[in-house]
Amino acid sequence: MSDSSPAARFPAGALFDLDGTLLDSAPDMLATVNRMRASRDRPPLTLSEIRPVVSRGARAMASVAFPELDTEGVAGLVPEFLAVYAEELGRHSVLFDGVEAMLAALEAAGTPWGIVTNKPEYLAAQILPQLGWQDRCAVLIGGDTLAERKPHPLPLLRAAESIGIAPADCVYVGDDARDITAARAAGMPSVVALWGYRLDDDDPVAWQGDVMLDAVQALVDPAGWPQR
C-alpha cells in the first residue's frame, strides 16, 4: 500500500527574529554592559547573568546591569547602552550552529527569507553585511521601522507583504513570547526557537507556537517546519 501523505515542504516564505534566533548576540551585549559598569567602577557581569534577557532589549539589559535603578533611571541609560552597543556590534557574536545550513536550504528551495526584530533598524542593518546577508535577506524590519513593534502583528504583516507572500504561507521563527504572539495575531504559523534566550520562569508551551524545536538543525529539513 503506497503512502499517500504529502511530502514535507519548506514554507513559501520564512521570517526570523534576530537575537536569540539566528544570532547568538549575548557576547556583544555582555561587552556593552561591562563597559558601562567599568566606567562606574563596577565589577563585570558574567554571560549567564545577562543571557536570559538578551531578547528583551536595551531597557532589560540596563536593568540587569544596574538593578538598583528605577524605571526612569533605566530609561535614562538606554541612549548610552545603544551608543556603546553600536561599537561592540558583531565583534563577539556568532551564528547559532546550523543557521547557515538552514538558510542555504531555504534558498535552494526558492524560499525567500527575512528578519523581523525589535532591535532598532539601524543596528540590525549594520549586522547584515558583517554576515554577508545584505543581498540574501529579502526584508528587514526593525523595532522602530513601523509605528508598532512585536508583539503587534504589523511588522510581520508588512514583512510578508514586502516579499509578496500571504502571511498564512509564511512561517515566523522566534525565541520569545512576543514573537509567537505576533505570529498568531498575523495569522502566520510559528516555530518556537528553544535554543534562544529565556527567563527561568518562561513557559514556551504556553506561547502556543505551531512547532517547538531544540536546535536550528531541524529546520534544514523541510519536515521540521509547520506543514499546512
Side-chain angles (χ1 to χ4, degrees):
M1 181 176 178
S2 63
D3 184 0
S4 61
S5 60
R9 296 182 299 174
F10 287 109
L15 300 171
F16 299 91
D17 178 44
L18 183 59
D19 300 307
T21 300
L22 297 177
L23 189 67
D24 186 359
S25 52
D28 286 351
M29 303 283 191
L30 181 64
T32 300
V33 298
N34 280 341
R35 280 181 55 181
M36 294 173 67
R37 285 177 61 86
S39 71
R40 295 165 173 82
D41 297 320
R42 305 280 187 94
L45 297 179
T46 65
L47 194 58
S48 62
E49 289 175 290
I50 65 103
R51 188 177 180 87
V53 301
V54 167
S55 287
R56 304 294 170 100
R59 282 181 174 80
M61 297 299 303
S63 182
V64 169
F66 303 98
E68 74 280 3
L69 296 181
D70 59 15
T71 301
E72 184 178 353
V74 168
L77 287 180
V78 168
E80 179 185 352
F81 176 89
L82 292 175
V84 176
Y85 178 58
E87 297 176 359
E88 298 293 339
L89 190 70
R91 293 183 58 192
H92 318 277
S93 59
V94 295
L95 295 178
F96 285 103
D97 288 344
V99 166
E100 269 301 335
M102 173 193 65
L103 296 180
L106 288 171
E107 291 166 353
T111 297
W113 61 270
I115 294 171
V116 181
T117 174
N118 275 358
K119 183 191 291 293
E121 183 181 346
Y122 78 96
L123 290 174
Q126 291 178 44
I127 292 174
L128 296 188
Q130 295 180 11
L131 299 171
W133 288 355
Q134 67 273 24
D135 297 320
R136 298 172 62 189
C137 180
V139 59
L140 170 64
I141 293 181
D144 55 356
T145 304
L146 304 170
E148 301 287 351
R149 59 192 295 180
K150 299 176 299 183
H152 197 281
L154 179 62
L156 297 188
L157 294 172
R158 183 64 59 82
E161 179 183 21
S162 177
I163 61 176
I165 297 173
D169 295 326
C170 295
V171 173
Y172 188 62
V173 184
D175 69 310
D176 190 87
R178 294 169 301 182
D179 300 326
I180 309 308
T181 297
R184 191 163 55 248
M188 188 177 296
S190 62
V191 174
V192 178
L194 295 175
W195 61 84
Y197 309 133
R198 295 193 310 278
L199 297 173
D200 290 340
D201 59 356
D202 280 345
D203 179 11
V205 174
W207 304 349
Q208 300 180 349
D210 293 279
V211 173
M212 297 175 60
L213 295 176
D214 291 318
V216 181
Q217 286 86 344
L219 295 176
V220 176
D221 187 326
W225 294 83
Q227 302 294 313
R228 297 192 63 193

